[in-house]
Amino acid sequence: MPVITQITQLEILDWESVLAADAATVGGKAWHLARLKQLGLPVPEGVVIPAGWRPLHDDEAIPPAIPPELSAALQKALATRGWLNQPLAVRSSAAGEDSATASFAGIYRTCLNVCGIEQVQLAVREVWASLSSPTAIAYRQRLNQDASMPGMAVIVMPLLPAIASGIAFTCDPITGRDDRLVIHAQWGLGESLVGGQATGDEYVFAEDLLDDHWVLLHEQIGSKAAKAVARQEGGTTMVATSAAEATGSVLSSDQALALAELLRDAAVALDFTHPFYDLEWVWDGEQFWLTQARSVTARPHYTYPALQTQPTYWTRGNTCEVVPEPLSPIDWCNARRLVNELLTQGYILAGYPLLPGLQRAGLFHGRLYLQLSLLQWEVFDALGVIPKLTNALIGGKQPEITLPPASPGDGFTRLRRAVRYMLRSPGQRRRGQRAVERAMAEGAQWRKESLPEDAAGLRAEILHHFHVARSAVDLFFLQGSGGGSLAMLVEQLDKCFPGEGYALATALLAGGEPSVTACQSYELMALARLWRENKESVEASSHPLHSENPKFQGAFNEFLERYGHRGLYESYFRNPRWREAPEYLLSQLEQLAEVDEAALRARQKAAVTEALARIRSGVPFWKRIFILKLAKAATQECNQREAARSALTALMEPGRHLLLAAGRYLVEQGVLVQEADIFQLMLSEILRVLDSDIPETGVKARVSERNRLFEQWSREAAPDVLVEASRYSRQEWQAHESATTSATASNNSRRYQGIPTGTGLARGKARLLLHPADGYKLQQGDILVASSTDPGWTPLFLRAAGLVVETGGYLSHGAIVAREFAIPAVVNLTGVLAELKDGDMVEVDGMSGGVTLLERNGQ
């Protein structure tokens, strides 16, 4: 948001000056138009009479005259622009108009085809007077607004020679679906459409999730018996349309598609996190113009009937672990689509009738949230998994939806789907495993190819890359459907050993067939030992990859060939991969060389042996076989989940390089200031910029605004759960707070309860780390305490005696790896970083999920 400057004297403002003024002074309509202009959208030139010009003491319906100072300023502004004898539009721009909570659509006055200074002055007075109309007063009262009269600014702009015009919504105004875009079109000016004298044409577009563009889904030819045109003597009039106009489409398919892309770009430019706008447009025979933009203020709640009357819960759940920091636009663009694909492939396999067009991802405070209400309902309605268990898998202590009474046939239907899923999933998993191998090979091949150097080549390659990555449905299945067997295993063990299901499952899964992340860790330990064996030659140089140590250099290069696509917080396009920045790995070698791998293996074996002995002593033979099969399946699913994540990251790596190449190209063209600015654009914007569809000033304005927004988000603390209290307005939110979600100890005790995800018991000094780059602080035997972890943290796990993580659930990366290494671990301890101090002596109980503060540091 630009810095607001105080207008010391009343003046006529142009669009640039509007953005430098207070929003209440220029009103919502002018503010949005000025922003559109700044962001590179086609907006006609215009001037704004600030609200301060209106005589506040005048109680008459229409003030008898405007102040002489305004008359002179207006005369000068029109003459300077050559508008004195040109048809103009004079429009309202009141404080609060076209806002996120109130549109005031049709409430205040608009005067079209106004010619000459006298008519302009009269039109200004009419706009002012509309503030006190009965309709306006009633509307403000309905909104419970202050009884005092709001400020009223006035927009004056040329009247476009409208061959066609209309309104559009960048979401479906009837259903609320955000994957739909609706355009209404009418010949001539839009008055006949807005006033109801004509229905016009309707064009409905569906969002193409693979290529980030729109597809014409439906076209309906409406009644166009009359159209509004400008009268020669001023004002407008209704005239009959010709026979061809009355029966033909206002827009061709190509025109409608071009307009749809422009409208979506406008909405994304204004707010890429919630691009839902009501826009007015005009076609003058050569190009489309935007003449108004307002937020959709009452988007219907599109969801399953069972959730219609319930609050909507949004959770950071496992997303805290994968993407704890704010998302840039390109990351959000990618995540928004991938989340839906990851979370729905299992239901598709089971034959569950998903409600189309639902959005399971949201961006609030810059962070990625999952629609918890949908997650809980779909897995319950599809397969009968209760919300409590869903919460445990994705993050634990969160609100639960209310389940409706079950009908007699519901249980049978869900059982049938579960059977269908179990019968189909082995084949799907085999296809997924082959997809992992293909993705790794494709990523490696892409790295070898030279990058395009021109706009057309970059555009085509970026589009192709995103298309391939978003089509990887077999990988999405492995990544998003990895918790079924694990959930059943915990449930069965808990029935036999109440309260111990998590702990026994964790112990049972220790060791075994290693995941790709575990293999990566074992190889890194071997590299560390090799480095130590050649330490003398390495110390001859400041860098471990010195040419005098070719054995280590060769081994390290082989490691990077297999795992170089990984990195610290690799789910962000903006973060470099280990292949680009291996310094973090190299910094871990000295301490990893001290890790006792034999002791690690013995710990894994002991955990499994103890768990098996317990199961043999307390579980009937027939059920024991079932539990062991579930354990094997759970290990496979978790391993495949990690493999799919690695493969998707491998596909992201060349995408990152393509984006940076596009950034460098646009820097050379003077469009961007630095190549990393490319990450502050959505994919659709990048494609339009490479097509030269967004002017340089507009691109720079978008990037600058988002850089400021990103800095603001980085300073904010995002709540773990958000509750959307209203069905209709996204403005009514509250953070969910509960004693059960906090790590604060009750009754002044020093024990904190979370979710056990790693077996055994460990004591040591708490080492609080905010980023894996701080890993040098972690000493052998310390307890690693972090807000979140991703694969970049894994080398630190090998050195830690125990693990405590604020976020995550049973399927989080940290939980999976902790189980594999048999590390005592507890996750989902919100606020534990604030409770503990660096160096405190703590105990981590991986069996019960408890973390106990034994001794304060220095006490």
Side-chain angles (χ1 to χ4, degrees):
M1 212 155 152
V3 177
I4 295 173
T5 60
Q6 185 68 39
I7 299 177
T8 56
Q9 60 181 9
L10 296 174
E11 54 185 315
I12 305 295
L13 308 177
D14 57 18
W15 292 134
E16 186 175 353
S17 301
V18 164
L19 291 176
D22 184 271
T25 300
V26 297
K29 191 174 296 181
W31 179 260
H32 280 311
L33 286 173
R35 283 200 66 219
L36 284 172
K37 182 75 172 179
Q38 179 195 44
L39 297 170
L41 281 304
V43 173
E45 292 302 321
V47 295
V48 177
I49 303 170
W53 281 108
R54 179 178 176 271
L56 298 178
H57 62 278
D58 199 326
D59 295 329
E60 298 184 38
I62 300 181
I66 65 174
E69 298 86 358
L70 173 57
S71 181
L74 196 52
Q75 174 89 21
K76 180 180 178 181
L78 299 182
T80 300
R81 292 165 175 79
W83 294 354
L84 280 174
N85 298 309
Q86 182 176 346
L88 303 173
V90 180
R91 314 181 72 189
S92 66
S93 184
E97 187 176 4
D98 290 351
S99 68
T101 56
S103 69
F104 284 90
I107 300 298
Y108 298 132
R109 186 80 166 92
T110 291
C111 301
L112 302 179
N113 198 31
V114 178
C115 296
I117 187 63
E118 292 80 9
Q119 286 193 15
V120 170
Q121 292 183 81
L122 178 60
V124 170
R125 291 163 58 204
E126 290 183 12
V127 171
W128 283 345
S130 65
L131 268 175
S132 56
S133 70
T135 302
I137 292 171
Y139 187 87
R140 291 195 297 269
Q141 288 176 343
R142 185 167 65 85
L143 295 174
N144 296 318
Q145 291 193 355
D146 195 308
S148 61
M149 200 78 76
M152 172 64 83
V154 181
I155 301 169
V156 181
M157 56 200 309
L159 182 68
L160 296 171
I163 292 177
S165 59
I167 58 176
F169 300 88
T170 55
C171 62
D172 191 321
I174 305 300
T175 66
R177 287 181 63 165
D178 66 0
D179 63 339
R180 295 289 185 265
L181 187 148
V182 182
I183 297 173
H184 295 277
Q186 166 67 5
W187 296 113
L189 297 169
E191 284 186 299
S192 57
L193 191 62
V194 175
Q197 292 95 341
T199 57
D201 295 346
E202 181 181 77
Y203 305 83
V204 179
F205 286 85
E207 187 178 17
D208 187 317
L209 298 180
L210 293 179
D211 297 339
D212 222 45
H213 71 273
W214 296 90
V215 176
L216 183 59
L217 188 68
H218 173 71
E219 177 183 355
Q220 180 174 328
I221 307 300
S223 170
K224 301 182 286 291
K227 64 179 178 180
V229 298
R231 292 198 305 263
Q232 286 189 345
E233 67 275 15
T236 61
T237 187
M238 304 298 296
V239 301
T241 58
S242 66
E245 289 175 328
T247 58
S249 297
V250 175
L251 301 173
S252 69
S253 297
D254 289 343
Q255 285 177 322
L257 177 58
L259 177 57
E261 299 287 0
L262 174 64
L263 294 165
R264 182 65 172 187
D265 186 55
V268 165
L270 289 170
D271 184 357
F272 75 90
T273 69
H274 295 86
F276 313 125
Y277 281 83
D278 166 2
L279 300 121
E280 294 184 10
W281 58 271
V282 169
W283 168 251
D284 67 2
E286 294 184 2
Q287 75 168 96
F288 289 104
W289 297 91
L290 301 181
T291 56
Q292 186 165 306
R294 63 169 70 95
S295 297
V296 173
T297 55
R299 191 158 67 100
H301 186 36
Y302 181 64
T303 189
Y304 294 96
L307 301 177
Q308 278 286 349
T309 59
Q310 299 193 48
T312 299
Y313 302 126
W314 293 89
T315 177
R316 294 184 69 198
N318 282 352
T319 67
C320 284
E321 175 197 49
V322 180
V323 280
E325 299 170 355
L327 273 67
S328 60
I330 190 63
D331 288 322
W332 164 236
C333 176
N334 207 41
R336 175 175 171 264
R337 283 152 176 83
L338 293 187
V339 164
N340 285 294
E341 295 294 337
L342 292 174
L343 295 176
T344 56
Q345 296 306 313
Y347 303 132
I348 294 171
L349 194 69
Y352 176 66
L354 290 162
L355 186 63
L358 288 175
Q359 184 52 253
R360 296 163 185 83
L363 193 68
F364 309 104
H365 302 280
R367 272 71 170 196
L368 178 64
Y369 283 76
L370 302 180
Q371 226 242 60
L372 181 63
S373 300
L374 278 181
L375 269 61
Q376 291 179 355
W377 172 252
E378 287 180 332
V379 72
F380 169 76
D381 195 37
L383 303 170
V385 179
I386 61 173
K388 182 179 180 180
L389 184 53
T390 299
N391 282 350
L393 290 172
I394 67 173
K397 312 162 188 126
Q398 301 175 88
E400 296 179 15
I401 61 171
T402 301
L403 299 177
S407 66
D410 286 345
F412 175 75
T413 300
R414 289 166 186 148
L415 177 61
R416 188 177 60 205
R417 292 194 194 108
V419 171
R420 183 185 293 122
Y421 177 88
M422 287 188 289
L423 292 175
R424 292 179 176 180
S425 60
Q428 181 62 54
R429 290 193 173 279
R430 287 192 293 272
R431 288 191 292 274
Q433 197 58 48
R434 292 193 293 269
V436 168
E437 296 168 3
R438 287 197 306 273
M440 298 300 296
E442 192 159 15
Q445 180 59 37
W446 261 334
R447 292 200 315 270
K448 298 174 184 177
E449 297 175 358
S450 58
L451 295 170
E453 298 181 357
D454 64 297
L458 286 165
R459 187 191 191 285
E461 195 61 26
I462 288 173
L463 196 56
H464 172 64
H465 172 82
F466 275 84
H467 185 98
V468 170
R470 291 174 176 179
S471 301
V473 292
D474 292 331
L475 295 181
F476 300 150
F477 174 81
L478 295 186
Q479 175 72 15
S481 304
S485 296
L486 182 58
M488 291 175 66
L489 175 63
V490 172
E491 183 181 24
Q492 292 299 319
L493 288 170
D494 218 40
K495 287 179 179 178
C496 300
F497 306 96
E500 299 181 49
Y502 283 125
L504 284 172
T506 294
L508 203 57
L509 299 182
E513 186 70 25
S515 69
V516 64
T517 309
C519 290
Q520 171 183 303
S521 300
Y522 291 136
E523 290 190 37
L524 196 57
M525 284 192 290
L527 271 175
R529 291 192 295 271
L530 180 62
W531 172 84
R532 183 173 58 185
E533 293 169 5
N534 294 271
K535 192 172 181 181
E536 290 184 3
S537 62
V538 172
E539 287 183 338
S541 166
S542 60
H543 199 286
L545 297 183
H546 191 267
S547 59
E548 293 179 7
N549 188 9
K551 185 176 181 181
F552 174 81
Q553 183 179 34
F556 191 73
N557 287 341
E558 290 178 7
F559 178 87
L560 289 181
E561 182 62 27
R562 285 190 292 276
Y563 306 112
H565 60 285
R566 312 304 295 265
L568 301 181
Y569 293 116
E570 62 197 15
S571 296
Y572 299 98
F573 276 111
R574 64 178 181 266
N575 286 344
R577 313 295 142 165
W578 285 339
R579 208 184 317 276
E580 301 170 67
E583 291 76 18
Y584 169 72
L585 292 176
L586 296 172
S587 70
Q588 301 296 315
L589 295 178
E590 183 170 3
Q591 290 174 305
L592 282 176
E594 303 301 321
V595 174
D596 188 340
E597 186 174 343
L600 186 155
R601 301 281 191 181
R603 188 171 67 227
Q604 293 171 327
K605 185 176 181 180
V608 176
T609 300
E610 184 178 340
L612 287 174
R614 187 80 193 282
I615 291 170
R616 290 192 187 100
S617 65
V619 178
F621 175 75
W622 64 269
K623 194 169 186 178
R624 192 187 316 157
I625 295 176
F626 180 55
I627 285 176
L628 293 180
K629 285 186 176 181
L630 281 177
K632 183 178 180 180
T635 297
Q636 181 192 48
E637 289 174 11
C638 288
N639 287 358
Q640 289 176 339
R641 182 179 171 90
E642 289 291 293
R645 175 171 177 162
S646 176
L648 288 169
T649 305
L651 291 177
M652 278 186 70
E653 183 187 17
R656 166 180 159 80
H657 294 308
L658 275 169
L659 291 171
L660 287 173
R664 288 191 295 273
Y665 170 81
L666 293 172
V667 169
E668 293 170 1
Q669 302 301 311
V671 178
L672 294 179
V673 176
Q674 54 187 0
E675 65 180 33
D677 287 343
I678 196 75
F679 301 127
Q680 292 291 15
L681 298 174
M682 297 280 278
L683 176 60
S684 61
E685 293 176 306
I686 293 171
L687 300 178
R688 288 180 71 84
V689 172
L690 291 172
D691 280 340
S692 302
D693 285 340
I694 305 176
E696 171 192 327
T697 54
V699 177
K700 289 181 177 176
R702 298 183 195 202
V703 169
S704 178
E705 185 173 289
R706 290 166 188 176
N707 280 332
R708 287 192 294 270
L709 184 62
F710 192 86
E711 291 174 6
Q712 174 189 323
W713 283 339
S714 299
R715 295 190 297 268
E716 293 178 357
D720 292 330
V721 177
L722 287 171
V723 181
E724 189 176 4
S726 168
R727 290 179 57 195
Y728 299 108
S729 174
R730 71 178 176 87
Q731 299 301 312
E732 297 183 28
W733 296 88
Q734 63 185 35
H736 175 75
E737 295 180 0
S738 169
T740 61
T741 62
S742 173
T744 304
S746 59
N747 301 322
N748 296 318
S749 70
R750 294 188 171 189
R751 180 178 171 83
Y752 313 108
Q753 185 63 41
I755 297 176
T757 58
T759 188
L761 190 74
R763 292 185 176 185
K765 290 183 178 180
R767 195 63 59 203
L768 279 58
L769 302 184
L770 301 179
H771 193 275
D774 299 328
Y776 64 91
K777 301 176 184 177
L778 183 72
Q779 302 300 312
Q780 199 80 24
D782 284 350
I783 304 297
L784 171 59
V785 183
S787 61
S788 65
T789 62
D790 83 334
W793 289 79
T794 305
L796 304 182
F797 289 13
L798 299 171
R799 292 156 40 198
L803 176 68
V804 177
V805 188
E806 285 193 317
T807 62
Y810 218 60
L811 285 178
S812 65
H813 166 80
I816 291 173
V817 176
R819 283 196 295 269
E820 287 195 273
F821 291 153
I823 301 172
V826 178
V827 303
N828 206 247
L829 280 167
T830 304
V832 74
L833 281 171
E835 289 294 314
L836 299 178
K837 292 181 173 56
D838 205 58
D840 286 350
M841 185 63 66
V842 297
E843 179 181 84
V844 179
D845 188 341
M847 300 295 288
S848 69
V851 175
T852 305
L853 173 60
L854 302 175
E855 182 182 342
R856 285 288 185 190
N857 184 20
Q859 295 182 2

